[in-house]
């Protein structure tokens, strides 16, 4: 036992370093962790108020279908039947509020389609995937596929349920 405490200086130094580390941690935590963090699990309680302060950007599918029921009918039974309008067309709350002032934009199929359908080993095997260069070359996807019902065959297949 005498030997253990014979190196008291070293033990005091290690204990001092450990205590200093704990103090630095507590001070940094007090400075950097926002108030309310952890009140609702691993979340900051004020985040809900921050999100509520942002303006509404998305209108929702029902708002789209009020004026565009033909789009839902065209998608019926197709591969995009469960894809919501704003997933491709972007946030449309302003358009739904005032269609004359805020026009909806037609997405660029050459860019948009490959976001979901570019061949990727991380996607499920049954999900339609293509290597755009091999599949279509310089052609745009919508030259062969109908966006709302993307099976081969153009407009005729889009009308078939």
């Amino acid at each position: 036992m005498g030997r253990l405490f014979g190196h008291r200086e070293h033990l005091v130094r290690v204990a001092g370093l450990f205590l200093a580390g704990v103090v630095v941690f507590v001070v940094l935590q007090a400075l950097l962790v926002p108030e309310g963090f952890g009140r609702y699990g691993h979340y900051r309680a004020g985040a809900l108020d921050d999100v509520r302060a942002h303006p509404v950007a998305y209108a929702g599918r029902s708002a789209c279908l009020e004026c565009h029921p033909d789009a839902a009918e065209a998608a019926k039974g197709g591969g995009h039947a469960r894809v919501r309008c704003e997933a491709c067309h972007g946030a449309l709350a302003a358009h739904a509020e005032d269609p004359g002032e805020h026009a909806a934009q037609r997405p660029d199929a050459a860019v948009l389609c490959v976001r979901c359908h570019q061949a990727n080993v991380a996607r499920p095997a049954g999900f339609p995937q293509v290597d755009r260069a091999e599949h279509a070359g310089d052609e745009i996807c919508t030259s062969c596929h109908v966006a709302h019902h993307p099976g081969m065959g153009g407009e005729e297949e889009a009308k078939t349920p």
Side-chain angles (χ1 to χ4, degrees):
M1 273 284 209
R3 275 186 142 176
L4 179 64
F5 293 108
H7 300 288
R8 191 176 337 169
E9 297 169 4
H10 298 293
L11 293 174
V12 170
R13 286 181 189 157
V14 169
L17 283 172
F18 181 75
L19 183 62
V22 169
V23 169
V24 167
F25 174 78
V26 170
V27 168
L28 286 175
Q29 183 182 27
L31 292 174
L32 299 176
V33 175
E35 186 179 334
F37 179 78
R39 187 175 303 150
Y40 301 123
H42 199 69
Y43 302 99
R44 184 175 57 84
L48 297 173
D49 296 328
D50 292 349
V51 170
R52 273 189 215 103
H54 291 283
V56 175
Y58 291 91
R61 186 170 195 222
S62 59
C64 298
L65 297 182
E66 286 179 18
C67 299
H68 306 283
D70 55 320
E73 191 60 37
K76 199 178 262 182
H80 289 165
R82 295 186 319 188
V83 177
R84 297 299 178 229
C85 307
E86 292 167 306
C88 298
H89 294 280
L92 295 170
H95 173 69
E97 189 71 30
D98 187 3
E101 182 68 28
H102 303 281
Q105 299 298 316
R106 181 179 295 255
D108 180 6
V111 174
L112 181 68
C113 298
V114 295
R115 285 187 190 161
C116 295
H117 295 289
Q118 180 65 34
N120 184 339
V121 295
R123 293 193 175 107
F127 188 81
Q129 302 177 56
V130 297
D131 180 348
R132 187 174 183 275
E134 288 179 18
H135 179 75
D138 291 335
E139 288 289 321
I140 295 174
C141 303
T142 52
S143 62
C144 296
H145 301 274
V146 176
H148 292 131
H149 197 293
M152 290 300 287
E155 293 293 331
E156 291 306 313
E157 187 165 325
K159 295 175 184 172
T160 310

